Amino acid sequence: MMLKKYLEQRHIDLDSGRSCLALEREYWQALEVLAYEDGWNNWREIFYMRLLPDRPEDIPLASFVRRSITKYLFEGYGRAR
């Protein structure tokens, strides 16, 4: 499948059970950097503590994570200007 070239899957635990989250490698890298900069030990901590509690039920999880990371990066970019 063509998507496998671009996406990396990682396992997560949701209230509904164990699942996979597939994101582009760049989003995983950004999530790792954001977690480290915020004082978390790894991406899972920032994912479960910051992202998952705010997740709306009306959009796919991967889309929400991408949108959240992008929003955070743009906010940081705006503060830096």
Side-chain angles (χ1 to χ4, degrees), residues 3 6-8 21-25 27-28 30-31 47 51 59-74:
L3 284 178
Y6 304 105
L7 299 177
E8 182 177 318
L21 179 60
L23 298 172
E24 293 78 5
R25 285 177 188 90
Y27 279 102
W28 286 118
L31 194 54
F47 176 81
L51 293 177
I59 65 170
L61 179 58
S63 296
F64 171 71
V65 171
R66 284 185 193 97
R67 186 177 76 182
S68 297
I69 292 169
T70 303
K71 179 181 173 189
Y72 185 88
L73 293 172
F74 271 112

Side-chain angles (χ1 to χ4, degrees), residues 2 6 10 15-16 25 27 29 31-36 40 44 47 50 60-63 65 67 73 75 77 80:
M2 192 68 145
Y6 304 105
R10 297 195 186 175
D15 289 340
S16 58
R25 285 177 188 90
Y27 279 102
Q29 290 168 347
L31 194 54
E32 288 282 358
V33 169
L34 294 175
Y36 177 76
W40 303 98
R44 288 181 188 279
F47 176 81
R50 288 267 178 101
L61 179 58
S63 296
V65 171
R67 186 177 76 182
L73 293 172
E75 288 171 353
Y77 175 77

Side-chain angles (χ1 to χ4, degrees), residues 10-26:
R10 297 195 186 175
H11 294 284
I12 55 172
D13 294 314
L14 302 174
D15 289 340
S16 58
R18 192 168 174 102
S19 186
C20 264
L21 179 60
L23 298 172
E24 293 78 5
R25 285 177 188 90
E26 294 81 3

